[in-house]
Amino acid sequence: MCGIFCALSLASAHSQWNQRVYEHLKRRGPNLSQDLAITGSDLSYCCLFSAHVLHMRGLLTAQPLQDTAGNILLWNGEIFSGLPVTPEENDTTVLAQRLSSCNAPSEILTVLSAIRGPWGFVYYQKAGDYLWFGRDFFGRRSLLWTFDAEAGELTLTSVAAHTSGPKQCVWQEVPAAGVFRVNLKTAAEAGCVAFEVYPWAHAESDVSNDTIPQVLESIPRGCSAVMNQSGLELSSPVPPMNVSLPETLNDTEIHSNSCLSVEDLEKLLGSEEKTDEVNHLIDVLSEAVRRRVQSLPFRALNLSPPAIDCARVAILFSGGIDSMILAALADRHVPAHEPVDLLNVAFKLQEPKKQNESSRKPKNKPIDLKADRGNSQVLSPFDVPDRITGRAGLRELQELNPERKWNFVEINVTQEELQEKRLVHVCHLVHPLDTVLDDSIGCAVWFAARGVGFIAEGNHQRPFTSSAKVILTGIGADEQLAGYSRHRVRFKTSGHEGLIQELAMELGRISSRNLGRDDRVIGDHGKEARFPYLDEDVVSYLNSLPVWQKADLSLPRGVGEKLLLRMTARRLGLGQSAVLPKRAMQFGSRIAKMENSREKASDKCTRLHIV
């Protein structure tokens, strides 16, 4: 993973670097930083490229990567399949070699269409004076843009900074609608930037009607965008969603009085058809996890020789079904002698009345947990719902594989630390998103990914910091398998047809609502977010199934939503976690209770605008 930056200037010189942006980029890529400036042959434009590398595979490769022909690549991505990359190779080098052999736009699109994995890129094609850039189909890597009309400068960057004052930059996320090309000479002559759009496309969809409006919503002021005149498209890595309806529609009444259990899931697994679906999902999801947890050399992560507690893989872990399945599948593919870090974040509840100043433990000293675990009447102020289900999930994993060392990292956050880190870091990383939900999720994920907390040893805790550079997250499961409460509402009012429309919308907007933000927040720690539920093969399989085979929202919470995933959990040997109802991170971690509890998730968050 990398922090990438490109400033295209249509004037003779670049405006001054924003030092805060530069520092944010360096935090994303702590292993190597390098800048490179080039000027057009007729001196009509100049480009400044900057890259900051987090070394994850193969030989440490400097970026910006310039080939012998003068082409320059900035690559923030992972090629998990689609293009051949051996464990010893660096995918930046492999991709640069493939792109350097391309002449026509169709050839570049063919290379990009073949990649399976998350990416954001900027590519300077010297022949023809073109600048290409874009994000993968799901938008799993962040890329932002802004245009300063007065200075004649277009800026692309993985992460920006929240600024105030008369000359503040207006940042927006580059839409994951396709890739873009700028004719640099034409832009220099016109004094403004026009983007040619090469959209992602399904074979049967009319992409021009869908893509251009999406692009125009977020295009920088002073720029323009047009569909490429050749009608070229990127091939979608996944098929369209199956929109078929059952011959006999299920009753949309939700049987809330029903009380289904783990044993009921076992009965549902009894049918041969369900068994085939579950086995297929396990196969594709297990392979998705394998791609994301293997080929992580210790030398790349500065863990040679590894200490006993040093993990290379961590999971954002609540004990809920999404993270439990990721942990169970990671257990298959992470070497048996290596630990796996389970990152569990909690925001401090109101102090119990029994606790007074004399009973508080000094910071970073061993904490006695007898009151926490041995006496249910005296709870820790960090015993939030996700902490309780996380411990229960840990016990299930220990039963599943008692030989594995599971580092259950208890990450405890006070209001004082939350306010401090939001001001210094999170408000910039979440930007340009700015809702109450973005604040809650952004802060919770930032603290969880930092991995600084405690692990239990008997009745005591000791300070612990996760060494893992790869962080698996369960995002994508709810969006595809009807995990949110709004899916139940839509099903109750509009049946399967309405539910299908809701799920299609969820996956279509996941890049702008979640993924860019989460990539920026997790990457701030020099760690890489990986999303197994959004692996192209996983999404392709789930898209092939009719909605009623993935979820049955006539069944009660804890069973009907993500029904196929719950049956998968049972097949993997998991227990009570398979029937836990969905609980959003902001509520499970209790960050939503720490601030103004009357706020709506969609409200603009004033806390993010304090600079």
Side-chain angles (χ1 to χ4, degrees):
M1 190 196 74
C2 301
I4 60 175
F5 176 96
C6 172
L8 162 65
S9 177
L10 305 180
S12 57
H14 289 284
S15 56
Q16 191 172 2
W17 259 96
N18 183 314
Q19 192 59 33
R20 193 184 291 274
V21 172
Y22 191 80
E23 290 303 318
H24 288 159
L25 290 165
K26 284 191 69 175
R27 286 171 64 87
R28 289 178 63 87
N31 297 124
L32 195 153
S33 295
Q34 185 170 278
D35 301 335
L36 175 63
I38 60 101
T39 303
S41 56
D42 58 356
L43 304 180
S44 60
Y45 67 86
C46 56
C47 290
L48 172 64
F49 301 94
S50 182
H52 309 265
V53 177
L54 174 66
H55 183 206
M56 301 297 290
R57 64 198 297 184
L59 295 174
L60 177 59
T61 301
Q63 293 193 48
L65 184 58
Q66 186 172 28
D67 65 19
T68 55
N71 303 310
I72 298 169
L73 175 64
L74 297 175
W75 173 248
N76 175 28
E78 295 286 349
I79 301 177
F80 291 126
S81 62
L83 296 180
V85 182
T86 67
E88 296 76 26
E89 288 182 305
N90 182 279
D91 59 351
T92 306
T93 302
V94 171
L95 179 61
Q97 291 170 346
R98 293 293 293 267
L99 291 175
S100 68
S101 65
C102 297
N103 295 311
S106 60
E107 295 173 318
I108 288 181
L109 299 182
T110 297
V111 172
L112 296 174
S113 296
I115 297 170
R116 298 294 178 264
W119 50 266
F121 86 112
V122 178
Y123 183 63
Y124 171 66
Q125 190 179 20
K126 186 173 182 179
D129 295 274
Y130 292 117
L131 189 71
W132 295 81
F133 61 93
R135 302 164 69 191
D136 72 80
F137 183 80
F138 299 114
R140 289 165 289 186
R141 290 289 175 259
S142 170
L143 192 63
L144 308 177
W145 58 7
T146 190
F147 182 68
D148 184 337
E150 184 179 332
E153 187 161 294
L154 172 73
T155 303
L156 303 161
T157 180
S158 297
V159 61
H162 192 289
T163 58
S164 60
K167 189 169 172 139
Q168 63 181 52
C169 290
V170 179
W171 292 101
Q172 291 178 284
E173 292 188 325
V174 175
V179 297
F180 302 84
R181 187 178 78 160
V182 178
N183 184 317
L184 297 175
K185 285 190 174 181
T186 300
E189 291 171 2
C192 61
V193 178
F195 306 112
E196 281 185 288
V197 184
Y198 296 83
W200 292 105
H202 296 306
E204 65 275 19
S205 64
D206 184 354
V207 296
S208 60
N209 288 341
D210 297 333
T211 303
I212 287 298
Q214 182 182 352
V215 171
L216 292 178
E217 285 180 4
S218 60
I219 198 168
R221 187 177 303 169
C223 300
S224 61
V226 294
M227 191 67 67
N228 74 88
Q229 293 183 349
S230 303
L232 296 173
E233 301 166 356
L234 290 148
S235 299
S236 167
V238 299
M241 182 184 294
N242 186 326
V243 297
S244 61
L245 298 172
E247 293 182 7
T248 303
L249 293 178
N250 288 350
D251 186 354
T252 57
E253 179 185 354
I254 297 173
H255 305 296
S256 57
N257 293 328
S258 303
C259 184
L260 276 76
S261 65
V262 172
E263 289 71 25
D264 294 302
L265 286 179
E266 293 285 3
K267 293 177 184 177
L268 288 169
L269 272 172
S271 74
E272 184 177 341
E273 182 182 11
K274 291 294 185 185
T275 298
D276 290 343
E277 292 167 1
V278 168
N279 288 341
H280 195 151
L281 181 55
I282 289 175
D283 288 344
V284 293
L285 195 50
S286 178
E287 175 61 16
V289 171
R290 185 197 67 78
R291 291 168 179 162
R292 286 158 176 79
V293 302
Q294 292 189 348
S295 301
L296 300 173
F298 279 108
R299 66 179 180 274
L301 305 182
N302 298 319
L303 297 176
S304 179
I308 190 171
D309 279 338
C310 283
R312 293 185 286 179
V313 174
I315 300 167
L316 295 186
F317 188 77
S318 66
I321 184 171
D322 306 340
S323 58
M324 286 293 291
I325 285 179
L326 293 183
L329 293 176
D331 184 51
R332 292 183 170 189
H333 303 296
V334 174
H337 64 277
E338 291 183 24
V340 172
D341 290 349
L342 308 174
L343 307 178
N344 183 274
V345 65
F347 292 82
K348 190 175 184 180
L349 298 170
Q350 184 177 357
E351 293 278 4
K353 291 182 179 179
K354 291 185 179 182
Q355 193 171 23
N356 53 42
E357 289 296 327
S358 62
S359 66
R360 292 179 186 171
K361 303 299 184 291
K363 191 176 182 180
N364 291 338
K365 295 290 186 180
I367 300 173
D368 184 69
L369 294 177
K370 291 180 182 177
D372 187 7
R373 293 174 172 78
N375 184 349
S376 60
Q377 293 181 339
V378 183
L379 296 177
S380 160
F382 296 103
D383 271 352
V384 301
D386 279 359
R387 179 62 46 82
I388 294 168
T389 55
R391 289 178 186 142
L394 171 65
R395 290 191 290 271
E396 284 192 30
L397 293 173
Q398 289 171 333
E399 291 174 5
L400 197 66
N401 184 0
E403 302 302 317
R404 169 79 63 192
K405 182 170 175 54
W406 302 98
N407 289 327
F408 184 71
V409 189
E410 300 189 13
I411 299 160
N412 300 331
V413 186
T414 63
Q415 187 170 32
E416 294 75 19
E417 187 177 19
L418 169 63
Q419 292 171 345
E420 176 197 349
K421 298 305 182 184
R422 176 194 286 122
L423 184 65
V424 176
H425 297 289
V426 181
C427 74
H428 302 289
L429 302 168
V430 169
H431 189 71
L433 305 186
D434 61 356
T435 68
V436 169
L437 183 63
D438 293 316
D439 173 54
S440 296
I441 299 297
C443 290
V445 170
W446 189 89
F447 280 103
R450 186 176 65 160
V452 177
F454 300 88
I455 59 173
E457 292 183 338
N459 288 326
H460 294 83
Q461 287 183 324
R462 68 176 174 87
F464 182 87
T465 299
S466 173
S467 59
K469 297 299 183 186
V470 166
I471 298 182
L472 303 182
T473 168
I475 193 168
D478 291 305
E479 288 79 0
Q480 298 179 80
L481 293 154
Y484 293 122
S485 59
R486 59 180 174 267
H487 297 142
R488 283 190 174 276
V489 173
R490 188 66 185 274
F491 175 71
K492 192 169 184 177
T493 58
S494 307
H496 284 98
E497 189 170 0
L499 179 59
I500 289 168
Q501 294 171 358
E502 193 77 14
L503 293 177
M505 179 182 68
E506 292 281 5
L507 207 55
R509 68 184 184 182
I510 196 171
S511 63
S512 59
R513 284 175 65 94
N514 305 92
L515 293 174
R517 177 199 66 208
D518 289 357
D519 175 63
R520 293 190 293 275
V521 167
I522 292 174
D524 189 57
H525 301 293
K527 301 181 181 185
E528 181 170 286
R530 295 186 175 179
F531 311 99
Y533 290 107
L534 292 173
D535 180 90
E536 288 83 355
D537 290 342
V538 173
V539 177
S540 294
Y541 177 61
L542 292 176
N543 273 3
S544 74
L545 298 175
V547 67
W548 69 90
Q549 292 184 5
K550 297 181 281 191
D552 183 354
L553 298 188
S554 68
L555 297 176
R557 288 185 70 237
V559 178
E561 74 277 16
K562 299 189 285 193
L563 177 61
L564 181 60
L565 202 61
R566 295 182 187 282
M567 292 189 292
T568 297
R570 284 303 299 142
R571 180 58 52 82
L572 291 172
L574 299 175
Q576 196 61 35
S577 61
V579 291
L580 283 178
K582 165 69 181 178
R583 186 170 53 230
M585 187 179 195
Q586 65 270 29
F587 302 120
S589 69
R590 285 297 190 258
I591 186 174
K593 293 288 187 183
M594 192 170 267
E595 304 287 358
N596 182 358
S597 60
R598 295 185 179 180
E599 294 173 316
K600 294 181 180 179
S602 59
D603 288 347
K604 298 293 183 184
C605 182
T606 57
R607 294 181 296 278
L608 291 174
H609 294 279
I610 301 171
V611 179

